[in-house]
Amino acid sequence: MALLGSVACRPKQPAGAAPSTNGPGSARVAAPLTISFSGAPEAVGAPIGALRRGINLGNGFDAPSEGAWGVVLSETHFEMAKAAGLDHVRLPVRFSTRAQKDAPYTIDPAFFERVDWAVQQALSRGLSIIIDLHHYEELMKQPDSHMDRTVGMWKQIAERYATQPDTVLFELLNEPNGELNPAKNNALIARLIPVIRASNPTRTLIVDSYFWAAPSYLKALELPNDPNIAVSFHMYQPILFTHQGASWMDPEFQTTGIIFPGPGSRVELTAKAKQTSWVRDWMANYFTAPATKNPASPATVAAEFDMVTKYVAATGRRAYLGEFGAIDFADAMSRENYLRLVRREAERRGFAWAVWDDGGRMQAMNVKQKAWVEPVAKALFQDQPSAAP
Ligand code: BGC
C-alpha cells in the first residue's frame, strides 16, 4: 500500500520515567471483547442535523494533489457509503495547495468543480456532507502568516456553497495543532465565523479542538453564542495501539503487535520506543496491568468520552466524533474490538460518528473490490438494525 504522505504527528503523551519493558516474546491476537456498559445510557448529545453515522473520504482531496496518496474519489465511494446505511460523508479537503498564495487567495476553479461534484454525489443520494478544511500544515507551523489566507479561502468556500441545502456542513479546520495553540486557534475561529456567517447565516459549522481534536482541549474553545455551531473531537486513544507502525508517525510509534484490549504478550520495542519514557511506561503497563487497569482497555476509551460528555453537559454544545480508526498493522480482532467499542460509546452518548478511511492502512471501504474491510464492517454494522454491507 502506498505511503500516505507526510502528515504532522499526532499527540505525544506527557513524559514520565518508566521501567524498561522490552523483552522477547511474540504478539498474540486479541480475544473478542464483550462490551458491557454499566448504568443507564449516557446520551447527552443533541443531534447535529441529520448526522448519525458516517465515513471520512480521506486521502483523496486532502492529499497535496488528488491521487498522490493513492485515492481518487469516485461514485463508488458514495454508493458504498449509502448502501451501507450511512447518512453522511466527511470530505477532507486541502484547499491550501489549490489556492493562490496572495490575496484574494483565489481557489483553482477546476478544483472547486471537483468539490462541487463531491457535494452533488452526496446530496443526490440523500447523504449529508461535511466540507472539512484539512491539512493546512503551514497554518499549524506559522499561524500568523497564514490566518488571512485561511479567512480568504473560507470566504470563497462559504459563498460558493451558500445556496446549498443545510445537509452541507462546514468544518472550519481539521485538527489544529502545533503553533496554532488554543489562543491562536480561538483568534482564527473568531475571524472565520463572521466571514462565513455573512453568506451562510444558519449553516451548521463544526469546530475542532486543539491538539488534533483532543477531547481534553474542548474546554479551551471560545465560541460565540450561536446554536448552529457544534464541536468535533477525534478518538485515537490509545494511540500506540491505533497508530502502531504508521508511516506518518514518529519512530517511537513503530512498535507493532499491540492488541486491544490488553494485556498483550511482550513484543520487542523499537530503539526509539525504548528511549522514549512515556512509551516505555505505557508499554510496561500494557504488558502487565490487568484488563480493568490496562492502558489498552475500554476504560481508556471511556475516559476520553467522559471528557466530551462533561463538556456537552456543561455547555449544551453538540459534539461530533469526526474521526476514529485503527491501523491494519493491528490484528483484525483487535481492530474490530476497538472500532466497535468506540462506535458504541459514541452512540450511547448521543454523538454522531464518522470512521476514518484513508484507502490505505486505515481503509474501511475497498472501492476497487466494492467490498468493506471485514473487521471494520463487523464493528460498524453487525449489531445495527439497518442493512449491513
Ligand atoms: C489525518 C490523516 C491521518 C489520520 C489518522 C487524519 O486527521 O489527516 O492524514 O491518516 O488522521 O492519523
Side-chain angles (χ1 to χ4, degrees):
M1 190 51 66
L3 283 194
L4 307 180
S6 77
V7 174
C9 282
R10 285 187 167 280
K12 309 285 185 294
Q13 306 285 325
S20 175
T21 56
N22 53 306
S26 58
R28 61 175 171 84
V29 293
L33 172 69
T34 305
I35 300 173
S36 61
F37 297 122
S38 55
E42 293 181 27
V44 293
I48 302 171
L51 307 188
R52 299 290 182 278
R53 301 179 292 153
I55 189 164
N56 281 271
L57 304 182
N59 283 21
F61 292 3
D62 54 316
S65 61
E66 196 180 359
W69 290 354
V71 176
V72 175
L73 294 188
S74 67
E75 289 192 11
T76 312
H77 285 90
F78 298 87
E79 264 163 35
M80 286 182 69
K82 180 70 183 177
L86 299 178
D87 49 66
H88 72 280
V89 296
R90 179 173 179 258
L91 185 73
V93 188
R94 189 189 298 231
F95 285 102
S96 55
T97 53
R98 281 93 171 189
Q100 285 173 353
K101 296 259 179 291
D102 301 312
Y105 315 106
T106 306
I107 294 172
D108 174 16
F111 182 66
F112 246 151
E113 282 174 19
R114 193 76 182 118
V115 179
D116 298 348
W117 168 85
V119 169
Q120 287 319 312
Q121 285 294 314
L123 296 183
S124 64
R125 291 179 172 80
L127 295 165
S128 298
I129 182 166
I130 301 169
I131 300 177
D132 149 43
L133 192 141
H134 208 94
H135 279 329
Y136 193 174
E137 291 168 3
E138 301 87 344
L139 173 68
M140 309 301 171
K141 291 181 189 138
Q142 294 183 301
D144 296 337
S145 314
H146 289 270
M147 283 210 192
D148 289 352
R149 190 164 180 256
T150 313
V151 175
M153 290 191 296
W154 261 117
K155 181 170 187 299
Q156 296 168 68
I157 303 163
E159 286 172 358
R160 189 169 185 104
Y161 298 107
T163 57
Q164 293 295 329
D166 59 9
T167 44
V168 176
L169 297 84
F170 296 158
E171 184 167 335
L172 275 44
L173 182 66
N174 179 63
E175 298 189 341
N177 65 77
E179 299 304 313
L180 190 69
N181 59 34
K184 290 199 189 281
N185 191 37
N186 285 331
L188 176 64
I189 293 164
R191 287 189 59 192
L192 287 175
I193 289 175
V195 168
I196 297 172
R197 281 285 174 251
S199 53
N200 291 258
T202 57
R203 186 170 306 283
T204 300
L205 308 182
I206 298 179
V207 179
D208 292 29
S209 52
Y210 179 66
F211 212 64
W212 292 271
S216 57
Y217 275 94
L218 284 171
K219 55 183 186 292
L221 282 172
E222 288 169 8
L223 297 171
N225 192 10
D226 177 332
N228 294 316
I229 299 179
V231 299
S232 178
F233 66 103
H234 293 176
M235 181 65 212
Y236 289 108
Q237 296 297 346
I239 191 116
L240 290 172
F241 164 70
T242 62
H243 280 64
Q244 54 187 294
S247 58
W248 61 96
M249 299 296 281
D250 281 342
E252 63 268 29
F253 292 88
Q254 301 305 319
T255 304
T256 54
I258 307 194
I259 66 169
F260 189 90
S265 10
R266 284 178 189 274
V267 288
E268 179 69 19
L269 304 196
T270 61
K272 185 67 185 174
K274 285 179 199 167
Q275 290 157 15
T276 308
S277 56
W278 74 263
V279 176
R280 288 202 318 267
D281 195 13
W282 190 93
M283 292 288 182
N285 288 329
Y286 161 74
F287 293 140
T288 56
T292 50
K293 300 212 163 100
N294 200 277
S297 72
T300 301
V301 171
E304 294 286 311
F305 274 98
D306 284 348
M307 289 186 248
V308 186
T309 296
K310 272 197 194 116
Y311 173 83
V312 170
T315 62
R317 290 265 174 211
R318 294 162 301 161
Y320 171 61
L321 172 55
E323 287 185 20
F324 64 108
I327 198 162
D328 72 358
F329 285 114
D331 68 282
M333 189 74 248
S334 294
R335 296 178 75 206
E336 183 184 330
N337 285 341
Y338 178 80
L339 295 173
R340 180 182 290 109
L341 177 71
V342 173
R343 193 260 300 166
R344 289 195 48 195
E345 276 284 13
E347 288 174 354
R348 83 183 182 113
R349 294 168 194 253
F351 305 138
W353 53 258
V355 70
W356 178 251
D357 182 345
D358 64 8
R361 303 221 65 124
M362 286 194 182
Q363 187 176 56
M365 300 187 300
N366 184 332
V367 287
K368 289 198 181 97
Q369 293 178 7
K370 298 201 175 180
W372 280 75
V373 173
E374 197 177 310
V376 180
K378 282 185 175 166
L380 300 186
F381 306 116
Q382 211 169 40
D383 55 0
Q384 294 280 6
S386 69

